[in-house]
């Protein structure tokens, strides 16, 4: 199982960040869960420097530019130099600030070109009775990865994060049955876009109000490969319980 802790902008001081890293390193040492931390970018370089632990680091986004006269941009290359090995791309909170499917596709290409494993966030705004949310999911995956080469497409991790489930509580998150259906659907879409049987190796994660109280049922029978955790990932006790409840 892969657990990605998306700290968003919740962590703003280095002491708190270092203590969360220490908690995660212990969890990674004592369980077989793979832990990836996505701190705010100014902190990432400090935390990931000379990292030799089992914990990996992720950018929360990468710039659509590749460097040069671009004030304020943090490129995939700079993230890789700072010690990141993953990059979250297309998070709904970035889409809300203007990331289109086209920009997201370019960001995926930059991330892959610099050796970062992209975690592509997709997910519908709301669930309708006619299944239109399935077309949203299909379109977001297709438009993001279709311009990549087949072997690049196979590197993309899909994180299904329905907007209606983000930032709530475990009780309002998706049910295990609905998640299981969506995971199957995503694998079907990937099978159409990836060569041969390679989509069988693609990882599919879920994010949206993952907490200690719902991690077990969600992991149980849904077929998901891991989770993208937001608010609960910056609470050391909750994050520890999430990881421990997985084993
Ligand atoms: P929450 O876990 O706070 O709902 O956030 C989910 C998310 O957006 C992770 O990327």
């Amino acid at each position: 199982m892969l657990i990605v802790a998306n700290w968003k902008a919740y962590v703003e001081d280095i002491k708190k960040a270092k203590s969360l890293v220490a908690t995660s390193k212990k969890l990674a040492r004592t369980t077989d869960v793979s832990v990836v931390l996505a701190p705010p970018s100014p902190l990432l370089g400090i935390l990931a420097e000379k990292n030799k632990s089992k914990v990996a680091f992720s950018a929360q986004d990468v710039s659509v530019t590749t460097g040069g006269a671009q004030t304020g941009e943090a490129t995939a290359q700079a993230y890789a130099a700072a010690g990141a090995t993953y990059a979250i791309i297309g998070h709904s909170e970035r889409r809300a600030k203007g990331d289109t499917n086209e920009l997201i596709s370019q960001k995926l290409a930059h991330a892959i070109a610099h050796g970062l494993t992209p975690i592509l966030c997709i997910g519908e705004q709301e669930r309708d009775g006619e299944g239109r949310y399935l077309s949203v999911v299909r379109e977001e995956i297709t438009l993001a990865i279709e311009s990549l080469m087949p072997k690049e497409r196979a590197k993309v991790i899909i994180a299904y994060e329905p907007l209606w489930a983000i930032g709530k509580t475990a009780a309002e998150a998706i049910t295990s049955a609905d998640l299981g259906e969506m995971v199957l659907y995503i694998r079907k879409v990937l099978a159409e876009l990836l060569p041969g049987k390679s989509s069988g190796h693609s990882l599919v994660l879920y994010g949206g109000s993952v907490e200690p109280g719902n991690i077990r049922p969600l992991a149980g029978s849904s077929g998901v490969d891991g989770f993208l955790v937001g608010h609960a990932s910056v609470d050391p006790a909750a994050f520890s319980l999430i990881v421990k409840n997985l084993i």
Side-chain angles (χ1 to χ4, degrees):
M1 279 273 167
L2 175 65
I3 296 279
V4 184
N6 180 6
W7 292 0
K8 306 192 180 190
Y10 289 124
V11 182
E12 296 172 281
D13 75 272
I14 195 69
K15 197 162 162 238
K16 161 111 178 160
K18 283 188 170 165
S19 128
L20 284 169
V21 171
T23 303
S24 299
K25 284 186 177 170
K26 188 163 173 220
L27 289 166
R29 258 198 328 271
T30 52
T31 68
D32 57 3
V33 174
S34 303
V35 180
V36 177
L37 303 178
S41 52
L43 302 178
L44 187 140
I46 304 170
L47 302 173
E49 197 183 12
K50 301 197 182 104
N51 176 41
K52 297 252 183 314
S53 73
K54 281 176 72 189
V55 168
F57 288 89
S58 174
Q60 293 183 8
D61 186 24
V62 297
S63 172
V64 76
T65 72
T66 50
Q70 307 283 348
T71 304
E73 297 292 335
T75 62
Q77 186 167 2
Y79 276 113
T85 49
Y86 291 80
I88 297 172
I89 292 174
H91 193 283
S92 56
E93 288 152 13
R94 300 307 320 160
R95 290 180 192 257
K97 291 199 162 61
D99 267 16
T100 59
N101 286 314
E102 197 187 333
L103 291 179
I104 288 164
S105 166
Q106 291 170 31
K107 289 181 175 192
L108 286 178
H110 293 330
I112 293 169
H114 293 288
L116 302 177
T117 300
I119 302 168
L120 169 66
C121 299
I122 50 113
E124 76 281 0
Q125 201 114 29
E126 57 191 11
R127 286 234 161 171
D128 57 289
E130 291 86 52
R132 276 195 296 274
Y133 62 93
L134 294 173
S135 327
V136 173
V137 165
R138 172 182 288 276
E139 185 176 284
E140 286 184 347
I141 297 175
T142 306
L143 295 179
I145 74 171
E146 68 184 352
S147 60
L148 300 176
M149 291 187 311
K151 68 173 194 307
E152 293 176 333
R153 295 180 192 179
K155 294 186 174 154
V156 179
I157 296 175
I158 304 291
Y160 171 61
E161 295 211 312
L163 271 73
W164 52 265
I166 294 179
K168 308 258 176 64
T169 62
E172 296 158 284
I174 199 164
T175 63
S176 176
D178 284 350
L179 179 58
E181 273 176 22
M182 184 52 89
V183 170
L184 278 180
Y185 181 72
I186 290 171
R187 291 201 193 284
K188 180 170 168 282
V189 173
L190 288 174
E192 291 164 17
L193 289 162
L194 268 60
K197 291 192 168 29
S198 61
S199 67
H201 302 293
S202 297
L203 298 184
V204 180
L205 314 181
Y206 166 76
S209 301
V210 173
E211 293 184 343
N214 61 358
I215 187 83
R216 242 186 215 143
L218 288 179
S221 56
S222 64
V224 84
D225 299 299
F227 297 90
L228 193 46
V229 186
H231 63 271
S233 74
V234 295
D235 173 340
F239 191 60
S240 301
L241 266 180
I242 286 176
V243 173
K244 286 177 183 159
N245 282 350
L246 274 177
I247 50 178

